[in-house]
Amino acid sequence: HRGAREQVPDTTDLAELRAAAAACVGCELYRDATQTVFGDGPADADAVLVGEQPGDQEDRSGEPFVGPAGRLLDRALEDAGIERERVYVTNAVKHFKYDLRGKRRIHKKPSRSEILACRPWLAAEIAAVEPALVVCLGATAAQSVLGSDFRLSQHRGEVLEAQDFPARVTATWHPSAVLRAPDRDAAYAALVVDLRVAAAQLR
Ligand code: URA
Ligand code: SF4
């Protein structure tokens, strides 16, 4: 597998990109997943939000952030004063990676090579939307957008310039990390604080 680059059409039309991504074989993850989960939202969105990869429910429905993490994200966006309809939501990796435990599919973190393989799709989405701000949700998204030297724990909530993307970037917790946090209320509050910083960039 050689990554997605050769499969990304030279276009800023999101519908064309989405159609091409549906047939992507840029890494091995397409084999065991149901379908490509491409980004979703308006082409003129103010912000692009980047998650890690689709989860079980996203894999079945074909839409990003429709499961438990997505519901938490919707609530956090509302609490931060960001309209969900004004953002484009996508993932660093566009196929669901999992381990089978009996009949349950357990989320498995994408590898560095899988993140790199899928990065051309994310780059194409960001080039198409031309957002004022890219919001990385969690370390995987931040690694894809800001590079593997970026440390989320040290730079959470800061507004940075991306090296390879024509956008400002900020990074915060992943909604799934908030759901797993020992003190969920505190983690949720921190997420909302960071999203308010993002909201201020959009005004
Ligand atoms: N987690 C993600 O990172 N993305 C989704 O789309 C769903 C859960
Ligand atoms: Fe292509 Fe990304 Fe899916 Fe890999 S994860 S097959 S690069 S769309």
Side-chain angles (χ1 to χ4, degrees), residues 48-105:
V48 169
L49 270 55
V50 185
E52 181 184 74
Q53 62 168 340
D56 181 79
Q57 292 190 36
E58 290 78 15
D59 174 75
R60 295 174 201 275
S61 73
E63 298 296 329
F65 282 107
V66 293
R71 286 192 292 277
L72 185 131
L73 178 62
D74 287 351
R75 185 157 66 90
L77 286 171
E78 196 181 328
D79 286 347
I82 298 174
E83 278 181 64
R84 179 71 158 82
E85 298 69 38
R86 294 298 312 147
V87 301
Y88 182 92
V89 178
T90 191
N91 286 297
V93 171
K94 287 172 171 54
H95 276 104
F96 179 37
K97 182 180 185 181
Y98 60 91
D99 273 335
L100 262 188
R101 303 232 182 99
K103 283 185 184 161
R104 285 197 5 131
R105 305 191 300 172

Side-chain angles (χ1 to χ4, degrees), residues 3-4 21 24-30 36 93-95 114 117-118 121:
C24 186
V25 292
C27 74
E28 65 289 350
L29 292 183
Y30 76 93
T36 306
V93 171
K94 287 172 171 54
H95 276 104
E114 289 153 354
C118 212
W121 292 119

